Each structure stands twice: as C-alpha cells, then as structure tokens.
C-alpha cells in the first residue's frame, strides 16, 4: 500500500466484479447507463472506478427508484436500482469482505449470505417447532431509534476489529 492509494485494490478484482455484474445484467441506474453502454467504454470506466475506490474518493451515486408490485397483488413497493458502476463497486467490496466476515456470522443468520435463503430459515424454524415449546418474536420496527443506533455502532466496531 502506498501513500497515494490508501486501499490496496487489485485492478483484477474490479475486472472480476464487472464480469459478475455483466452476467447478472439488470436495468440501468439513475445515470441511464446500461451494462452494454458501460462495457462500450469498459477500460475507461473500470479504471475510473478502481482509481476512486483505491484512493478512498468513491462515493456511490443515488439509486433509481422503481415501484414494483408486491406478491399477491397487494400494492407496490419501492426498488432501488444502483448504477452499473456502483454494482461493480459493491461486488468488489463483497468479494473482499465476505471471506473475512462469513466465518464469524452466527449459524442462524440467513439474510444475504451465500448458500442460504429464506427457505432455509423457514426449514430451520419448522424443525425447531418440534423441539421447543416456546417462540421469541422481536419486532425490529418497534424498537427505538437509539437502540438501533447502538446495534449499528456495535456492528461497525466489530467490523473495524476484524479488519484491523
């Protein structure tokens, strides 16, 4: 790591992240740039992204908000669509953090984890229904903003400790 670039991000990681984003396709973000348009100027776009990320000057742009129907036709919900560049940046960060953080997650954590799904969580809950005669239900939305802030603060403390 040199003094000009505080984050040592290999250019190859940005390329690998782009390949994953390209495979997933997806809609254009707030900038209107499709994956194909991003790829048309790939070398320049990846270099700019790598340069900003490795120098610590990358800030994600806003996401494009699209309303999509809820399952069962009970209204709509918002969906945020990031730009192609931001999806690449998120994939770079994921590829770096996942192998570090995955081993320390609790076995009963299912959200946004590789090889785990909501169906796995439901399966585990069903199995435990036969073993235990009690249930603990916590409504996160009902907790105070202060206690949520404490949880986030502890989470970031943990991340800082793990990453050094």
């Amino acid at each position: 790591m040199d003094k000009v670039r505080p984050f040592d991000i290999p250019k190859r990681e940005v390329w690998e992240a782009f390949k994953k984003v390209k495979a997933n396709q997806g809609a254009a973000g707030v900038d209107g740039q499709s994956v194909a348009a991003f790829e048309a100027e790939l070398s320049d776009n990846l270099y700019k992204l790598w340069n900003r990320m490795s120098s610590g000057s990358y800030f994600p742009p806003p996401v494009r908000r699209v309303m999509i129907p809820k399952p069962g036709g009970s209204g709509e919900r918002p969906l945020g669509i990031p730009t192609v560049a931001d999806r690449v940046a998120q994939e770079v960060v994921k590829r770096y953090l996942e192998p570090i953080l995955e081993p320390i997650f609790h076995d009963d954590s299912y959200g946004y984890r590789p090889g785990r799904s909501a169906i796995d969580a439901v399966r585990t809950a069903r199995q435990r229904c036969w073993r235990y005669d009690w249930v603990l239900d916590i409504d996160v939305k009902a907790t105070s903003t202060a206690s949520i802030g404490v949880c986030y603060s502890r989470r970031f403390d943990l991340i800082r400790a793990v990453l050094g």
Side-chain angles (χ1 to χ4, degrees), residues 4 6 13-17 24 26 28 42 54 56 58 62 64 74 78 95-96 106 111 118 141 152:
V4 177
E13 281 298 313
V14 181
W15 165 247
E16 294 298 329
N24 290 341
L42 187 60
S54 61
Y58 177 77
R64 182 167 64 100
S74 61
R95 291 169 58 90
Y96 176 78
H106 193 279
K141 284 185 179 179
Y152 281 119

Side-chain angles (χ1 to χ4, degrees), residues 6-147:
F7 300 102
D8 184 21
I9 301 171
K11 291 178 184 172
R12 180 81 182 175
E13 281 298 313
V14 181
W15 165 247
E16 294 298 329
F18 169 73
K19 289 193 311 188
K20 178 101 184 252
V21 169
K22 181 181 176 184
N24 290 341
Q25 285 298 312
V30 71
D31 62 358
Q33 186 178 44
S34 67
V35 173
F38 186 91
E39 190 173 24
E41 308 232 358
L42 187 60
S43 183
D44 188 43
N45 286 328
L46 292 183
Y47 178 79
K48 284 180 194 173
L49 183 60
W50 168 81
N51 191 35
R52 289 181 184 140
M53 290 183 74
S54 61
S55 69
S57 65
Y58 177 77
F59 289 93
V63 296
R64 182 167 64 100
R65 183 178 177 172
V66 175
M67 298 305 288
I68 61 170
K70 286 184 177 180
S74 61
E76 294 182 319
R77 70 174 184 88
L79 175 68
I81 302 174
T83 63
V84 175
D86 194 42
R87 280 182 271 173
V88 174
Q90 289 175 30
E91 183 64 25
V92 168
V93 173
K94 176 186 173 276
R95 291 169 58 90
Y96 176 78
L97 288 178
E98 195 169 79
I100 297 168
L101 297 177
E102 184 61 26
I104 63 174
F105 274 112
H106 193 279
D107 283 341
D108 286 338
S109 175
Y110 291 90
Y112 304 101
R113 293 188 59 199
R116 293 179 181 236
S117 67
I119 293 169
D120 296 326
V122 170
R123 181 182 306 114
T124 300
R126 284 185 174 177
Q127 290 169 348
R128 290 186 180 155
C129 283
W130 294 105
R131 286 190 287 169
Y132 303 103
D133 58 357
W134 54 271
V135 172
L136 177 63
D137 182 20
I138 300 172
D139 183 358
V140 176
K141 284 185 179 179
T143 56
S144 72
T145 305
S147 64

